[in-house]
Each structure stands twice: as C-alpha cells, then as structure tokens.
Amino acid sequence: MENFTFYTPTKIYFGKDQIKKLPQSIAPYGKRVLLVYGGGSIKRNGIYDQATTLLTEQGFEITELSGVEPNPRLETVEKGVKLCRDHQIEGIIAIGGGSTIDCSKAISAGVFYEGSPWDFTKDSSLITKTLPLFTVLTMAATGSEMNWGAVITNVETNEKLGIHSVLMIPKVSILDPTYTYTVPTKHTAAGSVDILSHLLENYFSQNKGAYVQDRISEGIMRTVINYAPQALKQPDNYEARANLMWSSTLALNGLTGRGKVGTWSCHPMEHELSAFYDITHGIGLAILTPRWMKYILNEDTVEQMANLAHYVWDIPVNSDNLFETAEKGIQAFYDCFVSWGIPMTLEEVGIPEDNLQLMAEKAVEHSTLATTAYVPLAVKDVRAIYENCLTQGI
Amino acid sequence: MENFTFYTPTKIYFGKDQIKKLPQSIAPYGKRVLLVYGGGSIKRNGIYDQATTLLTEQGFEITELSGVEPNPRLETVEKGVKLCRDHQIEGIIAIGGGSTIDCSKAISAGVFYEGSPWDFTKDSSLITKTLPLFTVLTMAATGSEMNWGAVITNVETNEKLGIHSVLMIPKVSILDPTYTYTVPTKHTAAGSVDILSHLLENYFSQNKGAYVQDRISEGIMRTVINYAPQALKQPDNYEARANLMWSSTLALNGLTGRGKVGTWSCHPMEHELSAFYDITHGIGLAILTPRWMKYILNEDTVEQMANLAHYVWDIPVNSDNLFETAEKGIQAFYDCFVSWGIPMTLEEVGIPEDNLQLMAEKAVEHSTLATTAYVPLAVKDVRAIYENCLTQGI
C-alpha cells in the first residue's frame, strides 16, 4: 500500500427530506447565494420549488445560473464567475448531477482568479481560494458531491479536462434518493456505469497490497450490479436508488483509490469521445471498458482480472487457466451493460470511424495513458481499442 | 436504508514517515500542546523522540500527560484537564492506541466544562467546545482516530461508559503502520478482534436495505481475517500492518454503520467484563462474540448470519438449511480467534462465576441491550451468554 492522504470533510445528509438541512448549512457563510442547475428538470420534479422556498423563507438572496450542459462548458463557468462577482455571492448551491456540481466547483475557484478558469486544467495550484459549495444531488454517477475533482469542456478546442483541488470539496451535500426517481432510464444506466468505472479504474493499479481498498471496491461493485436493474425496472424503488446514490459517493471519495498508484485509462479515452461528439459519459465508458479490459489482459494483469471475476461475479476460479476466469468476468460486464439497455458500439451513439486516429492522439496527449496508466497505452493501442468498439461483442 | 448524517472531517496522513506532517498540522491552532501517551512503549520504540524532536524544532511548548491506562480512567482525564488549564494548552496530541485517544478526547471536551467530565457519559450535549485533537496511532483497533466516540472508566463505580460528540473528532491523524510493528502478539490479536467486532456490531441491525454498507463491511472483515495471522507471524510485515491499520479506521468511522438502525450488543456486554476485571477489551469481545451469535441465531437472524458465513468465509450457502450455513460461519469466527492464540473462556482471563449476575444487570442498565439491540437481551439472556463463556466451544 502506498502512502496517502485521505480527506473527506463534506458533511453528508442522506435520506428523505434532508433538503431541510440546506439553509442552516449555508447560513454561517452568508445569505447571497448562486443557485446553479441544468436543463430545468429540477423545475419539473419540484426540487427547485422546494429548495428556493426553504431558502427564501430563511432570507437568502438567490441569483440563478441555469442551463449547465451535460458536459459543462468553460463559457458557462465564466458566466457563473461573472454572476458571483456582480452579485457578491457568498456561497454556491449546485442542484443537479456531476455536471452541475463540476461547473459549480470551477466557478467557486474562478471567482478568486483573474485569468480564465481554463488555466486550472493546466495548473490546479492556481486555485488558492474558493467560495463554499453546497450540493443537492439529483443523479447517482460522478461522486463529485464528496470529492475534489471537476471536469470542464472547452468546445473551441474540443478539450474535456479535469481540475483538482481540495479547496473545491463541497462543504455539505444533500443526498435524497427520491430525487433520482425521475432520472430517465438511459441516465440511470449511464450513471451506474460511471460508478462501476470509477471503481474499476482504481481497482486496476500497478501496486500490490492495497487489499482492503479492493475488497471494499468489490463490495460497492456488487451493490451497483445488484441494484441498477431494480432501479431501471422500478424507478421509484427507494432501496435501489439509495444504494446506487451512496455507492456513487463512496466510489470516488478516495476510499477505493487512496493507497494505490497509477492513473486512469477508460476515462481519458472516453473524454475524447464526449469532447468530440458530446455523447453521454457513462455510455462511452460502457462501450470502452470491456474492450479495454480485453485488450490489456495479459500475464501481468490476469490475476487481478480473475479476482474481479470471482469476487464480483461469483465466477469460480479456474487455477489451471486464470485467463478463462478473467475472460468470463469481462464478458459478464459486457453482458451486464447490454442487459441495462446500453448501446455497445460507437456507431450506435453516432461516432463514425473518421476521427478515431485524432481522438487516440488527443487521448494520449491529454492524459498519462502512455506513462502511468495500469497498462501504458500508446496512440496505436488507444486506436485499436476504439476500433474494437466499432463492432458488437468483445 | 435509514436516513443518516456522515461526517468524517479528520485528515488522515497514512504511511511511512507521515509524522513529519504533525507540526504543520497543529501550527494553525497554536504552539502550546499537551502530549498524551500511555505506559511508555513510545519511548522504547522511538516514536516519542521522533515526535518531540519534530515539535521542539518547530518551537512547540510541550506539556506531558503520561500513564494513560488501557481502560482510561476518569482521574486521568481530570489530570489532563488540569494540565490544559494550568498551561493554557491550545491543542492536544495523543500518541497511542484507542485508550490514549479516548482519554485525550475527553480531556479536549473537559477543558471547557466546569463539572466532572464523567457527566458527558450521561449527557453528551454538555460538550459545547473542545480543544483541537491530533493523533498518532500506534495500534490498530478502536477506530478512535477518525470518529466521535470515547470510552472512559470510572473505577470508583465500576463503570465503563461512552461519550459521543462530533466536536471530539480528531483534526488530523497520523497512521504509520510501522508504528505497530512493536505491538505485542496479544494486543495485535485483541485489536484485530476489536476491528471485527465493530464491523459485526454494525452488520447485525434490524433494518434491511443497507446493502452497500454490508458488502463494504464484509470486505473489511475479509481483510482483517487475511492479515491478522500474517501480522502475528511476522510483526514487521508492512502490508499486513497497513491493511489492519486502515481497516481499523474504516471499521468505525461511520462507513459501515450509518444508514442502519439499532444498537450494539457485544460491546456493552464486554464493557462490564473490563470494568469489573480490567481485562483487555478485544479479548473480552473474542470470548463473547461467537457465543452471542449462537445465542441469537433464530428464524429472524439466520439469513444475515448465513450471508456473513458466505461472503466472509466463502462457506457455500445451503438453501435447504440456512442454520447449517450460519453455524459454520459462527464456528469459523471461533476457530479463527483460537488460531490467533486468544484465550476463549472467562476463566482463562481470570473472571470467576461470582459476578456474572451483577455484570449482566449492569450491562442491561448501562446500555440499550434490552430495547434497541439487534436481538433485545434481558438480564437473563446476558447472564446465559456469560455462562456460555465459562466453557470451551460454542
């Protein structure tokens, strides 16, 4: 196990009606708040009314930034920064999923920086101060509600890049599983893949001995695999939504990644797909992940891949042929995503062959794929993995 | 899953040489510190010198409180409170295991309270302010390094009771697994039982649907069961010590307990044993736990007990006879404790039959055993469980 720092100071209020804790959570920081949200679903499902009523009753002055994109854009961050400055905002409330929270994180840091918030993607140390951030989660996926990361898209340059700073960790996050009842099937599935992907990215690392992290990770994976089908079938199944929601937070708050080394693989490959074609992140991950697993399966990786098959899918270990065990596990993930109704080829999500080479180059350029990834991948490898996503099956 | 608040703001520095982060962690709070430790093992193994040198170099003024007992006593807490007041202490550093940290927590709260710190055991709301607490962990067991609880013993009244307040959560905890290399075999075993017990106490709860908590709990149990024998055999096995240490923290920071209902069973029963006979807490838990499991095994509990057997011990589920599966799991815990060299009867730890009735009465009086425990236990039940601990086997 590697040395690590673990720091998750976000206070989580989890469960029904926890939004009542929102005003008292913000009050110590001030009364002028920026309310950030996406395309307006929170107006249709009543969360907007509930939150604004509670806040207005307590005398908060609300400025709004709506229309945050599924892949939140730099220009929206800049718009938010201007609103914060113009209205002397003292705290930011993000109501939404990872996109809204990520956008809010970048705004919270951008307010205190004179240059473009895009600079943070190149150098997070430019973040020296942030506005306090409060989140109300409406989708189980990114884990942004309890972590230090944000991903922002620059449409001018076709870039989708991450920002990391402990100063951006939310102060308080409200996790009410009933708020995810109205998440459409496609996004319930995509969010569940995103959770699994965070776990898998951390699971496959080059160091040994981070045993407890892996056993915890397998437990969370089992949870997602158990409950995603239930949430898809019965969107208002509280138990399913609650387990998916808490899994999403725990999957990316450091619990399964701290103490391990190496960097991620599928996320940087997917970020190019959604930067170029604006596809749903989780769908891109579902398409890529089993192909990536298959591509990197070798003598060095087979043991961990077989662990995964055994501890997550209950596949008996064939000690004489670990590759067989491993391949059954990879197939189980593929079949699982198919059963959740996810389109499993690039063509089905509108990505033609045209830009595979360019996206592969960008994926390597924008990340550490070629150096510190679990199995380092050159441009030709990424291209080959993309190509394997053109046809059904693995 | 029940509504819950999850709040773990402690910054953890985990790994070799992380003690270097101690001075910078305390500096924002002041330079006058109380250094709390136990029987002096930290002087023999060099941790004392390392810490005091680092602190002195940075200009800290150190006041010392040594001799904290394995079951920390009220009088020691009171001594610490006086030292803090006399020396205008600005922060407390606990170097040790759960006893030292618990004692320090009570001191941190007692400083700002005019009455006796024992009052906190009756009413935690009396805690309104605390001194900031920093810990350097030297034993994997109680999880006190990242939580809000402390247990204090009143020798005059033979009482060992808990105090709970989020204000007592440590600011920073240094977790260096090498600091546990010198933990004696007995205490390595006892600490490992304590970790398992925290997980088991949370695992058995009356509500359903806290699935992810249970899967995580099983993963941590697997870790302890895998590594305790390695640490016992080879005390300087870093991987084993690291996994046990991080497991101890995660087992009791809310991760496996939040979202569940009900209160603990084996801990209140054990607290009477150590309050009356000053035995090692983890040893008492090892003796009690399998007997308690066997005693409460019934139609209502058998499913969770069989889950435990399957997911922790890889025991195949016999769907025709879940009791058989469950009993194999209970036996596995018993055999495991025996294999760790733990004495498994009350007689072996010097507890005669004399006070069983009185301790059973006190256990029920001091706790919620009779009301909100997983399976509510009356005095006669607790006595029967104690009696089952008089002979070998379950």
Side-chain angles (χ1 to χ4, degrees), chain A residues 180-201:
Chain A
T180 62
Y181 284 176
T182 52
V183 173
T185 304
K186 174 186 166 185
H187 289 290
T188 297
S192 299
V193 177
D194 200 22
I195 303 169
L196 285 177
S197 178
H198 296 154
L199 296 164
L200 290 166
E201 299 268 27

Side-chain angles (χ1 to χ4, degrees), chain B residues 227-245:
Chain B
Y227 284 110
Q230 296 184 40
L232 289 168
K233 197 172 161 188
Q234 187 198 344
D236 62 350
N237 180 325
Y238 185 82
E239 184 177 315
R241 293 294 194 180
N243 275 282
L244 289 174
M245 189 172 241

Side-chain angles (χ1 to χ4, degrees), chain B residues 297-302 306 318 321-328:
Chain B
L297 181 60
N298 61 34
E299 286 290 347
D300 294 332
T301 64
V302 68
N318 179 350
N321 188 350
L322 277 185
F323 280 89
E324 186 192 280
T325 312
E327 282 173 1
K328 284 184 181 169

Side-chain angles (χ1 to χ4, degrees), chain A residues 118-147:
Chain A
W118 190 249
D119 297 347
F120 301 148
T121 65
K122 316 292 179 190
D123 180 4
S124 286
S125 75
L126 297 171
I127 300 173
T128 53
K129 193 177 172 188
T130 53
L131 281 174
L133 174 62
F134 308 86
T135 88
V136 179
L137 191 63
T138 62
M139 186 172 159
T142 73
S144 190
E145 60 276 13
M146 203 186 194
N147 71 29

Side-chain angles (χ1 to χ4, degrees), chain B residues 336-380:
Chain B
C336 168
F337 298 153
V338 170
S339 77
W340 295 356
I342 294 175
M344 289 299 284
T345 63
L346 293 181
E347 193 189 352
E348 287 170 85
V349 294
I351 300 181
E353 276 192 71
D354 313 13
N355 284 318
L356 298 191
Q357 177 67 23
L358 181 59
M359 290 192 295
E361 287 166 9
K362 290 289 177 190
V364 170
E365 180 192 328
H366 288 149
S367 73
T368 51
L369 274 169
T371 51
T372 52
Y374 177 54
V375 173
L377 300 173
V379 172
K380 71 171 173 49

